[in-house]
Amino acid sequence: MENRESKPKQYIALKLKDNKNPMRTIPILDEGEFTLADSHAIALYLITKYGKPEHSYLYPDDIRTRARIHQIMFIGVLFPRLRAVMAPTYSGKLGELSNRMIVNIVDAYTMLEEYLASSSFLTGNSMTVADLSVLTTVSSLNGLHPIDGRKFPKLTKWLNTMNDMDVCRRINAPGSELHVMGLKALMTNYKSNQKSKL
Ligand SMILES: N[C@@H](CCC(=O)N[C@@H](CS)C(=O)NCC(=O)O)C(=O)O
């Protein structure tokens, strides 16, 4: 994870093709002559390119609504808190969440609870691409450190509403469950390796 030279070949190949993803992260969109990194940029590109009129609620034309959507999608402090757990776990160096990791995750929940203070979704009373984007990270965080429903009632309600949607049940939930299960298995593995060294 930390060593950018150790990326699987296909990502390196994409990176080398037009030098558009120096981060060497996934996801990467590959349309032949056009590649694009960063899930938020990709989601906005796909919705602008392929969105049908009946999906316009996901990314409405109104510029202030769009600005709010961007504000949530480019929040910047959410995914890094998951990444802080993922990176050492994938490289086999983490057995459990540290206190610092938990404080940062709970702080992210607090921030989202505030965004949801006066609306049922993150940018208003209708679900947008911003909610879908945040859901992908929050569902993994929730699997690692469950959201306390008493402390975060609005976030809990939002998550339940999102998880009840057919699209989230079919697409997000299976991947998220697998992701959390994999992370926990790697942590357990690390812990048992540590024990066997004693
Ligand atoms: N802001 C980027 C973050 C992408 C990202 O960090 N992806 C992870 C996998 S979920 C990755 O490729 N990590 C490898 C690395 O950072 O070296 C996005 O939303 O696409």
Side-chain angles (χ1 to χ4, degrees), residues 3-178:
N3 176 4
R4 273 158 220 287
E5 294 315 310
S6 66
K7 296 288 158 123
K9 281 197 181 71
Q10 63 270 38
Y11 306 139
I12 303 220
L14 271 175
K15 191 259 174 194
L16 292 177
K17 198 160 69 168
D18 61 4
N19 211 23
K20 282 285 172 16
N21 187 18
M23 295 188 297
R24 299 190 194 178
T25 51
I26 51 169
I28 302 171
L29 176 96
D30 182 12
E31 288 186 340
E33 77 293 347
F34 179 69
T35 59
L36 189 64
D38 191 277
S39 61
H40 312 95
I42 293 170
L44 294 175
Y45 171 75
L46 290 176
I47 211 162
T48 308
K49 186 168 177 187
Y50 296 106
K52 297 192 176 137
E54 64 264 35
H55 302 130
S56 64
Y57 68 95
L58 286 172
Y59 193 47
D61 284 339
D62 176 71
I63 57 167
R64 286 194 171 162
T65 308
R66 285 200 170 186
R68 285 257 157 81
I69 289 173
H70 300 162
Q71 174 181 247
I72 295 292
M73 290 182 83
F74 306 151
I75 214 159
V77 295
L78 188 59
F79 179 69
R81 292 169 195 209
L82 174 59
R83 193 182 183 283
V85 178
M86 286 161 59
T89 307
Y90 286 152
S91 51
K93 292 184 196 132
L94 192 73
E96 61 189 16
L97 267 57
S98 69
N99 285 342
R100 170 55 50 197
M101 288 169 182
I102 292 173
V103 165
N104 284 336
I105 292 170
V106 172
D107 182 62
Y109 295 160
T110 307
M111 179 187 65
L112 293 170
E113 182 80 7
E114 283 183 35
Y115 274 117
L116 291 164
S118 55
S119 58
S120 32
F121 293 95
L122 288 163
T123 58
N125 284 320
S126 172
M127 196 258 280
T128 71
V129 64
D131 296 282
L132 291 171
S133 172
V134 167
L135 176 69
T136 60
T137 300
V138 168
S139 43
S140 289
L141 288 177
N142 183 49
L144 293 168
H145 185 76
I147 297 167
D148 180 340
R150 282 159 311 168
K151 268 176 90 180
F152 304 111
K154 289 174 189 295
L155 182 58
T156 304
K157 189 163 173 240
W158 170 86
L159 184 58
N160 291 339
T161 307
M162 294 299 290
N163 281 338
D164 276 349
M165 287 181 192
D166 180 58
V167 61
C168 300
R169 244 200 312 258
R170 276 187 302 111
I171 298 172
N172 186 62
S176 159
E177 281 159 23
L178 218 57

